Amino acid sequence: MSAQSDEPFATGARMTGQLVAPLHPLSISEYLAIGEVEPGYTELVEGSIVMSPSPVPRHNRAQKRLLRQLDDQIPAGLEAIPELDVDLALSGPDGPGWSRRPDIVVAHRSAYDRVDRDGGVLAAAEVVLAVEILSPGSRRTDHVTKRGEYADAGIGHYWVVDLGDRAAQREPVSLLACHLAGEFGYADGGVVTGRFVATEPFAVELDLDALG
């Protein structure tokens, strides 16, 4: 194993439209200093950069429709925003970092104001609800990997939306709502189709069929 360098990338390496492997696991500050990479977007997992492809139109349409329903019901002081980086803080500030970008983040407006004022990204402790909409290549990541990471980071509520296979007339849109249950991580009440009704983290009633 080579000695760790003070620089995250090899001399002359650039992050302009392509992914360059870091020389050592990146801290969250090193990752944020890189900036965005196109196409798609990146996340940071234990110091390693992970590239995700751009979502398909159906995914984006469902995201937009879910945001619209949330905006109509979300309490004052909270706001739902798509695709924001969240520092999961699963290691120290100089250790290998974790930064995820949920499809929808619900947080207090004061948290967004802090990011606008001071820079950086949302902290997991500021996130009230994280939502992921399944894509063909993200099923295990969203159901297993991110579920564990978000629970370890202390995000109180996590929803997973499955759009099913409407083209083949199978599997209606469903939602799995998870909430922190102490040392056990997330607990959930099972998959819901049709109408989803919740009182936590805020009162909401969603028409899941309208997302497809």
Side-chain angles (χ1 to χ4, degrees):
M1 179 179 296
S2 61
Q4 178 169 309
S5 167
D6 292 334
E7 296 296 331
F9 298 97
T11 302
R14 302 181 65 191
M15 295 295 291
T16 53
Q18 61 182 349
L19 193 61
V20 179
L23 296 177
H24 62 266
L26 301 180
S27 67
I28 187 68
S29 60
E30 288 174 324
Y31 172 69
L32 294 178
I34 295 169
E36 193 51 88
V37 182
E38 297 292 343
Y41 64 87
T42 63
E43 295 177 309
L44 188 67
V45 180
E46 201 167 7
S48 296
I49 298 173
V50 177
M51 172 71 81
S52 296
S54 298
V56 298
R58 186 173 182 227
H59 178 283
N60 286 351
R61 184 171 62 240
Q63 180 188 54
K64 180 182 71 174
R65 292 174 176 176
L66 178 54
L67 278 168
R68 186 180 300 134
Q69 292 193 48
L70 289 173
D71 285 342
D72 289 341
Q73 303 178 64
I74 204 164
L78 294 178
E79 190 166 0
I81 296 182
E83 300 173 3
L84 288 180
D85 292 315
V86 177
D87 179 5
L88 300 187
L90 297 179
S91 64
D94 297 323
W98 268 268
S99 177
R100 290 293 193 179
R101 186 181 292 189
D103 288 313
I104 296 174
V105 175
V106 177
H108 291 278
R109 291 181 180 173
S110 59
Y112 301 127
D113 292 341
R114 177 194 62 77
V115 173
D116 287 340
R117 182 182 65 250
D118 301 333
V121 293
L122 287 177
E126 297 173 311
V127 176
V128 174
L129 167 67
V131 183
E132 298 286 4
I133 301 171
L134 294 182
S135 295
S138 73
R139 183 171 296 274
R140 178 173 176 80
T141 298
D142 292 342
H143 272 301
V144 179
T145 306
K146 289 186 178 181
R147 176 173 175 147
E149 291 175 355
Y150 291 169
D152 289 344
I155 296 175
H157 294 265
Y158 174 44
W159 295 351
V160 181
V161 176
D162 189 343
L163 299 179
D165 188 353
R166 300 296 287 273
Q169 298 184 338
R170 298 194 306 268
E171 301 176 0
V173 176
S174 64
L175 188 149
L176 178 69
C178 307
H179 64 276
L180 280 180
E183 60 183 296
F184 301 105
Y186 282 132
D188 61 71
V191 173
V192 175
T193 59
R195 289 203 167 267
F196 170 74
V197 180
T199 57
E200 297 292 339
F202 45 82
V204 66
E205 182 174 346
L206 302 176
D207 180 1
L208 300 180
D209 291 335
L211 303 182

